[in-house]
């Protein structure tokens, strides 16, 4: 009896899956075009899955083994079941292999079940709670049904009742695992996830046979010359089709939620929910079926949308509220953790672009800052002719007078801020002590455009960027050094698309090179315990975790690490224009970060970013650790009795 | 095309807002003028209104960006009365407004470029024969023949006025800040050219224009022993000293008093 039922079940499940796949693909294709290499993309899936995706999943060892056993077991079992039961070819080892595969899958499903006993808050409940049972039903059903095929049990053992029960178990499993994959059940992540890996919008993120993937963090430019091109994303269908596909790949694991600083601060943002809302929007409907943590302070079930309706309503509610989008600090913690390689920040900025460029609705100080950037090239509205007032006594060499230098020192808007001026003075002192040949743009420098871009004002970003690129094009320099990771990121990763390609170094990287080359001599430090706060735009955006630590070690401090450091560093709350849009929450992100600092017992937290300095130093707490920039620490430790070195180009050329 | 602040514009009030080219106080870059933008905002805040933007002046690339700043507040078009560089825009504006008179005319109190004397609204009101109110804080109610508004007075005081339409109302910093100008509508909006003869400003030709120099401020010396005194001094009303309030005075008496004061202050010399 089973040998009749099983082929029918298997082939009808496959047929239903195929129909579902077509429907699902249609949903994605509502999005805007985005050309991808189809064959090459599909061919890259196994590698991207096994290497890149598992690199992220493997940060949780138990979960990664569970996934390998369950998913690997399932893929093997399903393929073999088609051959063994579907086509009735049980000869030789095939049947035994199927037994092994379903047994492996069953073991995996036990771990999945254990995970679901007291699931952490970040996991979604709802249909996800039945998944382990479905996995068990399928693996057990197939296992037992295969026993007669290999001759362990006599055919028709147990009579028709057992046969019907087995068929029912297999049918349940097939429903969840095969056509549930394309009809929107929890297993959708496998189908959408595989195709997302194939057609990812940032293919350069993935490793190839030639080597590891590249960090790909620069936002993509809007085409402003084309008056017809939409300005950002208004409706779900305004995303590119592969962005929609990406949202659909989400497994609701909540890793993004667990690391999101805005969520932890009780601001109305949860990256997982945001991705799910986009899925709701692309299919049309309400978020009532969502079974995970909501946006803090916002009940589930009150928002709805459709593929061609607005995501954010001008008045009232639609799919997502504007304040959700404005809560994000663009720290990329979510992207870093997401095992499905979903690009939350791209999506958030896409939607912000529409709000700013079409609605003119940048909240709080947003409009004022953007107006200042337009009128004065800096966010504070200061006189652009006063950029060097802080350095009146330093006689900084100007590019306009020199024309060339080895290092172009990019000062950033910190020139207008008294706190950051101290950092800049320290950096100048260090560069001079090392005899570095450097020059600054002075009043010719403008805001890099970072804040404008994160606030969605692509027009102002491009205007600033193009003028900066034109200025930089007049001068000759080997590289740009800056103490502002935001300028660093924009200059290094976002100007390229507009025609500006530079070698850029963060000052910590550069100081470390100077130390390694022996151009700086330091006195023994009297600093005690020091911890280091990784700026998002230096770490996750640019992968520089080592140099600042090397500098601290060279200073001879006792370096302690916070629980969340390196690629898991928690944002200071200062990125993405978040202090400007200032969406209220239950607590402040910098307060949480200073708590992390005090947990280490450090008396001093070293930073490498003017935003971080401002945010962390703004924290009012008893016995708060001192906040100092790496440049200040090095400047304080300079051994001024050592002879100054002259490292100008001339001497180098003479030496060579 | 005028911007309608309601879907159902039947019986809506026709409002025209005069907008000029602004200049940023720090960098001198052209922009939407702040007070004019506030006037636009006040118009957009009206419940039933058909709002039209009008600019009269010499048109250049620089000024286009500034005008588009107003379009970015949510307008599909702006009426542009093109004038020669040396033109006096008053006659052209008067003619245009006579041809298609709005019920309410809003504008900033003074321009950020050009003469910036703040006289234009008065001259317009005079030549149109309409009443004028300055320093709008808020328009409270619009009736077919009247408008009720709050006028801003020094130190946060407000005066409620009921005004017969049509009328000119000028707006300064007391009115709510203008909404953000969005790039999309600013780029899409049309500049609809309306033809008016351009008459040269003969008086202007005799003037010498030079950049303003910052004038020294009169220092207010506060001799305060305590923080309380300092606060009181800071919060105190500016004292006019020898001020004089004339009630029920004839125009001659009023003129005489002003004349005397100007002499005392050394503004007029014999
Ligand atoms: S970028 Fe940071 S703040 Fe924004 S959603 Fe991701 S984790 Fe949250
Ligand atoms: S977006 Fe990524 S990290 Fe967040 S729940 Fe979905 S799969 Fe997990």
């Amino acid at each position: 009896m089973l040998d009749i039922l099983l082929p029918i079940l298997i082939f009808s499940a496959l047929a239903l899956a195929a129909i579902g796949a077509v429907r699902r693909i249609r949903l994605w294709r509502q999005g805007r075009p985005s050309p991808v290499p189809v064959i090459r993309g599909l061919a890259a899936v196994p590698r991207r899955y096994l290497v890149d995706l598992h690199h992220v999943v493997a940060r949780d060892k138990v979960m990664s083994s569970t996934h390998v056993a369950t998913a690997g077991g399932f893929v093997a079992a399903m393929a073999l079941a088609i051959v063994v039961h579907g086509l009735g070819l049980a000869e030789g080892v095939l049947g035994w292999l199927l037994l092994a595969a379903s047994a492996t899958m069953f073991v995996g499903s036990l771990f999945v079940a254990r995970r679901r006993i007291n699931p952490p808050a970040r996991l979604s409940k709802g249909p996800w709670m039945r998944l382990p049972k479905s996995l068990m039903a399928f693996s057990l059903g197939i296992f037992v049904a295969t026993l007669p095929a290999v001759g362990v049990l006599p055919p028709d053992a147990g009579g028709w009742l057992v046969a019907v029960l087995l068929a029912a178990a297999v049918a349940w499993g097939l429903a969840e695992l095969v056509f549930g994959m394309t009809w929107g059940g929890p297993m959708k992540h496998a189908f959408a996830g595989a195709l997302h890996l194939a057609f990812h919008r940032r293919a350069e993120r993935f490793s190839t046979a030639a080597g590891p993937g590249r960090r790909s963090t620069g936002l993509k430019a809007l085409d402003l010359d084309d008056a017809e091109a939409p300005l950002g994303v208004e409706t779900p269908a305004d995303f590119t089709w592969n962005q929609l596909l990406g949202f659909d790949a989400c497994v609701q694991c909540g890793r993004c939620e667990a690391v999101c600083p805005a969520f932890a601060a009780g601001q109305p943002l949860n990256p997982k929910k945001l991705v799910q809302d986009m899925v709701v929007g692309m299919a049309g409907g309400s978020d009532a079926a969502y079974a995970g943590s909501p946006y803090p302070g916002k009940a589930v079930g009150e928002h709805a949308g459709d593929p061609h309706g607005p995501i954010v309503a001008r008045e009232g509610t639609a799919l997502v509220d504007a304040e959700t989008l404005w809560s994000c600090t663009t720290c990329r913690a979510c992207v870093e953790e997401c095992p499905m390689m979903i690009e939350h920040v791209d999506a958030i900025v896409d939607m912000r672009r529409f709000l700013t460029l079409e609605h003119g609705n940048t909240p709080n100080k947003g409009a004022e800052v953007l107006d200042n950037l337009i009128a004065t090239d800096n966010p504070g509205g200061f006189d652009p002719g006063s950029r060097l007032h802080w350095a009146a006594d330093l006689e900084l060499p100007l590019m306009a007078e020199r024309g060339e230098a080895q290092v172009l020192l990019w000062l950033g808007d910190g020139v207008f801020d008294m706190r950051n001026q101290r950092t800049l003075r320290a950096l100048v002192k260090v560069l001079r002590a090392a005899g570095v040949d450097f020059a600054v743009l002075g009043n010719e420098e403008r805001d890099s455009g970072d804040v404008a871009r994160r606030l969605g004002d692509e027009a102002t970003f491009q205007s600033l960027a193009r003028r900066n690129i034109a200025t930089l094009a007049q001068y000759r320099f080997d590289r740009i050094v800056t103490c502002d990771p935001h300028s660093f990121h924009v200059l290094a990763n976002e100007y390229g698309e507009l025609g500006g390609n530079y070698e850029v170094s963060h000052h910590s990287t550069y100081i470390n090179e100077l130390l390694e080359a022996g151009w700086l001599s330091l006195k023994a430090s009297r600093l005690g315990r020091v911890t280091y706060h990784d700026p998002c735009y230096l770490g996750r955006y640019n992968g520089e975790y080592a140099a600042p630590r090397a500098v601290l070690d060279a200073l001879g401090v006792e370096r302690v690490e916070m629980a969340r450091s390196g690629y898991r560093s928690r944002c200071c709350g200062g990125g993405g224009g978040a202090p400007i849009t200032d969406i209220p929450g239950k607590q402040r992100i910098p307060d949480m970060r200073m708590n992390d600092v005090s947990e280490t017992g450090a008396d001093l937290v070293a930073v490498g970013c003017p935003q971080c300095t401002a945010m962390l130093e703004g924290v009012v707490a008893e016995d708060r650790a001192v906040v100092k920039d790496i440049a200040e620490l090095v400047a304080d430790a300079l051994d001024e009795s050592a002879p100054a070195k002259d490292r100008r180009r001339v001497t180098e050329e003479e030496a060579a | 095309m005028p911007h309608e602040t309601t879907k159902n514009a039947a019986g809506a009030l026709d409002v025209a807002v005069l907008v000029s080219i602004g200049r940023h106080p720090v960098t001198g870059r052209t922009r939407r003028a702040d007070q004019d933008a506030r006037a636009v905002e006040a118009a957009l805040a009206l419940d039933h209104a058909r709002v039209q933007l009008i600019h009269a002046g010499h048109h250049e690339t620089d000024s286009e960006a500034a005008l588009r700043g107003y379009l970015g507040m949510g307008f599909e078009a702006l009426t542009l009365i093109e004038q020669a560089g040396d033109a006096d825009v008053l006659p052209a504006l008067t003619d245009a407004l006579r041809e298609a008179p709005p019920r309410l005319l809003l504008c900033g109190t003074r321009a950020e470029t050009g003469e910036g004397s703040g006289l234009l609204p008065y001259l317009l009101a005079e030549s149109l024969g309409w009443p004028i109110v300055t320093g709008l804080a808020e328009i409270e109610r619009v009736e077919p023949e009247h408008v009720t508004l709050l006028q801003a007075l020094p130190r946060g005081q407000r005066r409620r006025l009921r005004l017969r339409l049509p009328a000119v109302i000028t707006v300064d910093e007391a009115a709510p800040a203008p909404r953000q100008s969005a790039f999309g509508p600013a780029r899409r909006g049309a500049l609809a050219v309306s033809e008016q003869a351009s008459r040269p400003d003969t008086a202007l030709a005799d003037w010498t224009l030079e950049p303003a120099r910052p004038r020294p401020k009169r220092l207010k010396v506060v001799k305060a022993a305590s923080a309380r005194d300092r606060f009181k001094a800071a919060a105190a009303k500016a004292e006019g000293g020898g001020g004089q309030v004339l009630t029920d005075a004839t125009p001659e008496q009023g003129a005489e008093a002003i004349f005397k004061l100007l002499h005392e202050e050394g503004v007029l010399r014999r």
Side-chain angles (χ1 to χ4, degrees):
Chain A
M1 189 166 149
L2 268 181
D3 42 350
I4 306 167
L5 274 181
L6 282 182
I8 296 178
L9 285 175
I10 288 175
F11 287 113
S12 38
L14 288 174
L16 279 170
I19 298 173
V22 172
R23 291 170 47 118
R24 208 75 212 166
I25 291 170
R26 282 226 187 105
L27 285 185
W28 304 330
R29 300 295 306 190
Q30 299 174 104
R32 290 217 300 264
S34 166
V36 292
V38 178
I39 306 291
R40 249 189 307 138
L42 287 172
V45 171
R47 182 189 183 92
R48 291 177 180 179
Y49 172 75
L50 291 170
V51 178
D52 300 283
L53 188 144
H54 256 274
H55 171 73
V56 180
V57 179
R59 291 170 186 171
D60 182 343
K61 277 279 174 310
V62 179
M63 200 50 225
S64 109
S65 316
T66 305
H67 194 257
V68 169
T70 323
F74 168 68
V75 171
M78 192 59 216
L80 289 162
I82 294 173
V83 179
V84 172
H85 296 297
L87 307 174
L89 302 172
E91 284 94 66
V93 305
L94 285 181
W96 291 101
L97 284 177
L98 177 52
L99 281 181
S102 49
T104 314
M105 180 181 170
F106 181 71
V107 174
S109 63
L110 287 180
F111 278 90
V112 179
R114 197 187 65 169
R115 167 76 143 204
R116 288 279 157 185
I117 292 173
N118 261 322
R122 65 179 169 88
L123 290 179
S124 289
K125 318 291 182 300
W128 295 86
M129 297 306 280
R130 67 161 197 256
L131 184 59
K133 299 183 197 108
S134 314
L135 292 167
M136 281 191 230
F138 179 82
S139 50
L140 262 188
I142 288 286
F143 186 84
V144 177
T146 308
L147 291 177
V150 293
V152 174
L153 287 179
D156 284 334
W160 64 268
L161 185 62
V162 170
V164 167
L165 283 176
L166 275 181
V170 172
W172 173 11
L174 286 171
E176 181 83 283
L177 301 175
V178 179
F179 68 84
M181 198 150 68
T182 58
W183 287 82
M187 287 306 293
K188 182 185 60 159
H189 80 271
F191 172 60
L195 293 180
H196 178 48
L197 289 182
F199 306 131
H200 200 283
R201 203 151 155 259
R202 293 177 181 271
E204 63 278 9
R205 278 184 68 182
F206 299 102
S207 66
T208 57
R214 274 190 297 116
R215 212 164 275 281
S216 169
T217 53
L219 293 174
K220 296 189 187 294
L222 276 186
D223 182 1
L224 296 177
D225 297 330
D226 178 1
E228 301 300 309
L231 300 169
V233 164
E234 178 185 20
T235 71
D238 286 338
F239 283 111
T240 64
W241 71 272
N242 46 1
Q243 279 179 296
L244 292 180
L245 164 60
F247 302 143
D248 222 13
C250 171
V251 273
Q252 303 198 32
C253 67
R255 290 180 188 220
C256 53
E257 167 187 321
V259 295
C260 176
F263 179 80
Q267 288 171 271
L269 169 63
N270 175 349
K272 172 172 107 175
K273 170 83 165 56
L274 185 71
V275 168
Q276 284 312 306
D277 281 349
M278 296 304 116
V279 174
V280 166
M282 112 175 83
S286 114
D287 66 342
Y290 172 72
S293 326
Y295 297 128
K298 288 195 190 286
V300 168
E302 290 169 2
H303 292 75
D306 66 273
H308 302 286
I311 293 173
V312 178
R314 265 189 205 259
E315 276 158 34
T317 57
L319 198 53
V320 172
D321 293 339
E323 51 184 13
T324 293
L325 302 176
W326 294 114
S327 295
C328 175
T329 69
T330 67
C331 71
R332 273 185 87 82
C334 49
V335 185
E336 184 75 38
E337 290 292 332
C338 179
M340 304 310 285
M341 314 271 168
I342 295 167
E343 295 278 351
H344 313 66
V345 177
D346 285 358
I348 289 171
V349 174
D350 280 341
M351 292 184 274
R352 285 184 178 186
R353 283 175 174 171
F354 186 82
L355 295 182
T356 292
L357 296 176
E358 285 292 354
H359 282 194
N361 242 342
T362 323
N364 283 326
K365 292 273 170 213
E368 184 184 325
V369 166
L370 294 176
D371 275 348
N372 283 340
L373 283 168
I374 292 168
T376 64
D377 301 334
N378 66 76
F382 298 103
D383 182 356
S386 68
R387 291 195 83 100
L388 279 189
H389 282 188
W390 64 278
D393 58 333
L394 292 180
E395 288 169 33
L396 293 183
L398 286 177
M399 269 296 180
E401 286 161 13
R402 300 268 310 275
E404 63 179 327
Q406 264 178 309
V407 166
L408 186 147
L409 182 61
W410 185 273
L411 298 169
D413 294 322
V415 293
F416 297 112
D417 166 58
M418 293 213 310
R419 171 64 185 86
N420 191 56
Q421 288 164 6
R422 296 215 303 270
T423 305
L424 288 169
R425 297 184 78 88
L427 181 57
V428 167
K429 183 174 166 197
V430 172
L431 294 181
R432 289 212 156 127
V436 175
D437 168 34
F438 73 95
V440 298
L441 289 176
N443 291 338
E444 286 187 288
E445 190 182 305
R446 295 167 193 85
D447 177 271
S448 64
D450 166 69
V451 163
R453 190 168 230 201
R454 303 320 121 178
L455 288 178
D457 191 346
E458 182 72 3
T460 302
F461 164 73
Q462 289 193 12
S463 152
L464 288 165
R466 285 185 206 285
R467 284 178 291 147
N468 275 326
I469 291 170
T471 305
L472 288 168
Q474 299 168 21
Y475 304 119
R476 289 210 340 206
F477 48 89
D478 294 342
R479 66 163 133 179
I480 300 175
V481 172
T482 178
C483 62
D484 173 16
H486 295 264
S487 303
F488 172 17
H489 167 65
V490 171
L491 286 163
N493 305 322
E494 297 192 342
Y495 276 17
E497 213 178 338
L498 304 174
N501 293 294
Y502 316 103
E503 192 193 332
V504 191
S505 303
H506 186 242
H507 68 311
S508 66
T509 314
Y510 193 65
I511 291 177
N512 189 39
E513 282 175 30
L514 294 176
L515 283 169
E516 279 177 350
W519 292 106
L520 286 171
S521 27
L522 303 180
K523 295 177 291 198
S525 140
R526 287 180 314 273
L527 301 164
R529 270 182 159 217
V530 175
T531 189
Y532 171 65
H533 164 75
D534 290 272
C536 307
Y537 276 72
L538 182 63
R540 279 187 293 271
Y541 274 81
N542 286 293
E544 181 61 281
Y545 303 110
R549 290 182 166 78
V551 173
L552 287 180
D553 292 346
L555 284 166
V557 303
E558 181 198 349
R559 179 162 60 83
V560 286
E561 291 292 351
M562 287 182 262
R564 287 179 60 172
S565 64
Y567 73 87
R568 282 208 162 129
S569 169
R570 193 210 295 261
C571 178
C572 70
I580 297 163
T581 54
D582 200 20
I583 305 297
K586 296 220 163 44
Q587 46 181 336
R588 292 177 67 248
I589 297 174
D591 291 350
M592 298 190 295
R593 191 52 173 162
M594 283 311 271
N595 269 342
D596 294 351
V597 171
S598 65
E599 272 167 20
T600 65
D603 334 296
L604 189 148
V605 51
V607 290
C609 168
Q611 281 292 342
C612 300
T613 314
M615 296 304 286
L616 297 183
E617 223 171 42
V619 171
V620 182
E622 259 174 69
D623 287 338
R624 167 170 75 59
V626 177
V627 182
K628 283 222 169 181
D629 192 278
I630 299 257
E632 293 180 281
L633 296 178
V634 174
D636 288 347
L638 283 178
D639 185 359
E640 270 146 308
S641 59
K645 303 202 170 73
D646 193 357
R647 214 173 72 109
R648 291 177 188 241
R649 193 189 297 268
V650 207
T651 39
E652 269 194 347
E653 274 162 13
E654 277 167 9
Chain B
M1 185 204 274
H3 177 103
E4 282 164 17
T5 57
T6 44
K7 294 268 173 300
N8 172 16
L13 183 76
D14 270 311
V15 180
V17 188
L18 301 183
V19 295
S20 61
I21 311 296
R23 184 193 290 276
H24 192 271
V26 175
T27 56
R29 291 186 198 166
T30 59
R31 60 162 189 177
R32 54 178 182 161
D34 181 61
Q35 294 182 346
D36 291 348
R38 285 172 196 259
V40 176
E41 183 62 44
L44 288 175
L46 292 173
D47 252 350
H48 288 276
R50 214 170 308 132
V51 185
Q52 188 194 9
L53 303 182
I54 302 174
H55 169 72
H58 184 52
H59 191 58
E60 295 160 311
T61 358
D62 245 15
S63 51
E64 169 149 351
L67 291 179
R68 292 200 170 277
Y70 298 106
L71 290 169
M73 296 172 78
F75 290 84
E76 282 170 25
L78 175 151
T79 306
L80 173 66
I81 304 175
E82 257 197 78
Q83 298 279 290
D86 63 347
D88 181 359
V89 298
L90 184 67
L93 270 179
T94 316
D95 291 350
L97 290 167
R98 279 216 186 100
E99 278 166 27
R103 300 291 286 159
L104 188 60
L105 182 65
L106 287 164
C107 60
T109 299
R110 70 168 70 220
E112 294 173 0
T113 49
E115 287 171 36
S117 64
L119 271 182
L120 181 106
Y122 291 96
L123 296 173
L124 261 182
E126 185 186 38
S127 56
L128 292 168
W130 296 357
I132 178 167
V133 169
T134 58
L136 173 79
E138 186 192 336
I139 296 179
E140 290 190 317
R141 197 149 50 92
V142 181
E143 297 153 82
E145 294 302 321
H146 291 91
V147 56
T148 312
L149 55 90
L150 286 183
Q151 185 189 35
L153 300 176
R155 276 174 291 282
Q157 298 179 75
R158 295 288 184 265
R159 172 158 64 190
R160 179 166 290 121
L161 296 173
R162 190 150 179 273
L163 193 65
R164 191 171 185 80
L165 292 175
V168 181
I169 301 179
T170 70
V171 176
D172 61 20
E173 281 72 24
R179 66 193 57 192
Q180 191 174 351
S181 173
F183 175 80
R187 181 172 72 173
R188 274 191 305 272
L191 301 180
V193 177
S194 141
E195 296 296 333
Q196 289 292 342
S198 169
R199 269 153 284 189
D201 187 341
T202 43
L204 188 67
D206 300 336
W207 289 17
T208 335
L209 294 180
E210 60 182 56
R213 255 165 305 154
R215 266 180 300 173
K217 267 205 194 115
R218 220 179 259 184
L219 278 184
K220 198 161 73 174
V221 184
V222 182
K223 287 197 208 81
S226 67
R228 185 161 180 275
D229 291 347
R230 268 196 302 280
F231 179 77
K232 269 168 72 183
K237 284 189 183 185
E239 274 168 56
Q244 190 186 355
V245 180
L246 297 179
T247 37
D248 300 328
T250 64
E252 287 74 24
Q253 286 168 328
E256 182 62 32
I258 295 173
F259 197 63
K260 201 166 133 240
L261 179 75
L262 292 178
H263 273 298
E264 282 167 14
E265 291 285 322
V267 178
L268 288 181
R269 258 167 234 146
R270 272 185 221 275

